[in-house]
Amino acid sequence: MLTKVYDTPAVYCLNVPLPENPLKNLNCYIIQDSGETLILDTGFNRPECLEALMAGMEELSADWSKTNLFLTHLHSDHTGLAPTLMKDKPGKIYMSRVDYDYFESIMVGEVWKESDRNFIAEGFTEEQIMRLHSENPARGYEPERFFSVTALEDGDILHVGKWAFSCILVPGHTPGQMVLYQPQEKLMFTADHILFDITPNITCWVGTQDSLGNYLDSLVKIRQYEIRTALPAHRKNDMDVYVRMDQIIEHHLNRLKDTVHALAANRGSHATQIAACLRWSMRGKTWEEFPLSQRWFAVGETIAHLDFLVCRGLVEKRTRGTTNSYCLTMDGALCCSQLDCMWQMYRRK
Ligand SMILES: [Zn+2]
């Protein structure tokens, strides 16, 4: 289904289904001007996604010889069809250099093995990790092969006809996600950096010390831009983008405080034990009843929050043998008041 969401420049939103995934769909945006087309993100490497994309391009009578593809970040619901879609076509695939380098280490390197070791250190069993190799939605539907791109740096400009779009690096959700901004129209494609009816997943990344700290800094960075229209990569946007950023910032403060309380009550726990104490939207299910893949996402988020506390000296991380454990470095109440002080730099003045 194709909907025109902006007039000048012409922007269409193509509803790309993500079957069996809680995200439900990808908002694939197609920008057109003066015969040129730019596609933002592709959906999974699945026939349902390819069908939707081809139908949308057909409906727009898009000229494939003047079509480029921009990938906001490395997740497979955004990159899955990149090589399939652009095969034997002259157009370019654009992606941030940071995410592309990381993507390469996932596609051809050892990143998953290191990630598996990290999760075992945080309380997953070898058997659970083996099961996740087939059950984890983060691992399926990747591109059929590794592909080359035109790598982008923060501040680079992309053109579609007479319109210029700035590429803004917003690390956090992935190490090198990018959003696109059209300054005259104050139009921003917020990718998965700002979502409106779900909170963007912030997880631990191999080689990244502080994903959550990076993410919060990237929210502050984006808040400096004047945004009249914000177009997210999933679901809908029915609220003010600045209010939404405030909500996300407060969400993480509350999450950090919950993590502190869980640690105060369970000194020396690993991330899986802490995650089991936190609130998750599990539709009435207990932690043990929660599907393994969802527990994996929850533990990834918990590690990102623990990393944030460790980086700021509020929590100490110890590794004994192959298992990690965490302890508060001060009284829980003092920890929370320090977080409250820190939040002054993230809140709007
Ligand atoms: Zn994503």
Side-chain angles (χ1 to χ4, degrees):
M1 198 176 64
L2 198 61
T3 316
K4 192 170 195 186
V5 290
Y6 209 84
D7 277 326
T8 45
V11 179
Y12 300 87
C13 179
L14 180 62
N15 188 317
V16 177
L18 302 174
E20 300 146 52
N21 189 288
L23 289 168
K24 292 182 185 148
N25 78 301
L26 169 82
N27 297 328
C28 164
Y29 296 102
I30 302 177
I31 308 171
Q32 287 196 312
D33 191 71
S34 314
E36 294 180 15
T37 299
L38 181 69
I39 305 173
L40 273 60
D41 295 332
T42 71
F44 285 126
N45 181 15
R46 291 186 64 138
E48 298 89 341
C49 300
L50 185 60
E51 225 168 83
L53 280 166
M54 297 313 281
M57 289 293 279
E58 173 105 46
E59 199 177 325
L60 290 172
S61 312
D63 178 354
W64 277 103
S65 72
K66 291 179 184 169
T67 296
N68 296 313
L69 172 63
F70 172 79
L71 303 173
T72 58
H73 64 291
L74 60 83
H75 280 147
S76 53
D77 55 326
H78 298 259
T79 55
L81 284 167
T84 315
L85 213 56
M86 300 307 280
K87 194 178 174 200
D88 302 326
K89 303 203 177 70
K92 287 181 174 157
I93 304 176
Y94 296 104
M95 189 179 188
S96 90
R97 177 173 306 281
V98 179
D99 252 22
Y100 184 68
D101 288 349
Y102 201 93
F103 189 50
E104 182 175 21
S105 60
I106 292 176
M107 292 288 284
V108 299
E110 298 279 294
V111 163
W112 275 118
K113 278 186 194 150
E114 199 170 336
S115 167
D116 288 347
R117 277 195 293 276
N118 290 346
F119 275 81
I120 288 170
E122 299 292 356
F124 273 64
T125 64
E126 301 259 1
E127 183 266 327
Q128 287 175 322
I129 292 293
M130 288 312 289
R131 260 172 63 203
L132 281 165
H133 286 186
S134 57
E135 285 176 26
N136 189 342
R139 291 176 104 137
Y141 312 120
E142 299 104 344
E144 57 179 15
R145 59 178 171 82
F146 190 57
F147 50 90
S148 46
V149 302
T150 301
L152 299 168
E153 307 293 346
D154 189 29
D156 279 354
I157 306 286
L158 289 185
H159 292 272
V160 187
K162 59 184 172 298
W163 296 93
F165 295 84
S166 312
C167 307
I168 309 167
L169 191 67
V170 287
H173 175 70
T174 61
Q177 182 168 224
M178 270 188 165
V179 299
L180 280 190
Y181 181 63
Q182 208 300 313
Q184 286 78 33
E185 292 297 309
K186 302 176 180 26
L187 168 65
M188 187 175 282
F189 297 89
T190 64
D192 283 7
H193 184 50
I194 305 165
L195 299 173
F196 290 82
D197 55 359
I198 40 176
T199 312
N201 170 267
I202 307 301
T203 190
C204 55
W205 291 90
V206 170
T208 300
Q209 295 285 309
D210 184 19
S211 291
L212 178 58
N214 296 342
Y215 177 70
L216 293 168
D217 289 344
S218 294
L219 280 181
V220 171
K221 179 179 181 178
I222 285 305
R223 203 166 55 200
Q224 314 311 315
Y225 289 82
E226 205 180 323
I227 305 169
R228 206 159 50 203
T229 307
L231 299 173
H234 301 286
R235 313 282 186 96
K236 58 185 188 299
N237 165 16
D238 45 17
M239 69 182 292
D240 180 278
V241 64
Y242 300 98
V243 172
R244 182 59 187 149
M245 284 191 261
D246 293 345
Q247 285 179 348
I248 296 174
I249 286 169
E250 295 309 311
H251 163 85
H252 288 294
L253 174 61
N254 292 330
R255 208 73 185 148
L256 286 164
K257 287 182 176 176
D258 290 346
T259 307
V260 166
H261 294 139
L263 269 178
N266 304 277
R267 207 181 144 73
S269 298
H270 52 57
T272 300
Q273 289 162 331
I274 298 301
C277 301
L278 301 176
R279 284 183 301 257
W280 304 97
S281 50
M282 296 191 203
R283 295 187 202 92
K285 289 184 178 154
T286 66
W287 176 255
E288 283 72 26
E289 291 165 343
F290 207 33
L292 188 60
S293 60
Q294 295 303 308
R295 268 185 272 163
W296 184 85
F297 280 107
V299 169
E301 268 193 55
T302 305
I303 298 170
H305 286 80
L306 287 165
D307 284 346
F308 183 94
L309 296 167
V310 169
C311 285
R312 282 146 192 89
L314 302 178
V315 164
E316 192 189 347
K317 176 181 178 177
R318 293 196 193 129
T319 306
R320 203 168 284 130
T322 53
T323 309
N324 295 335
S325 67
Y326 297 86
C327 293
L328 296 178
T329 58
M330 62 189 80
D331 174 69
L334 187 58
C335 232
C336 289
S337 73
Q338 294 229 2
L339 286 169
D340 281 326
C341 285
M342 268 175 220
W343 245 245
Q344 286 169 17
M345 72 183 182
Y346 296 125
R347 288 188 176 123
R348 272 192 276 179
K349 303 290 178 297

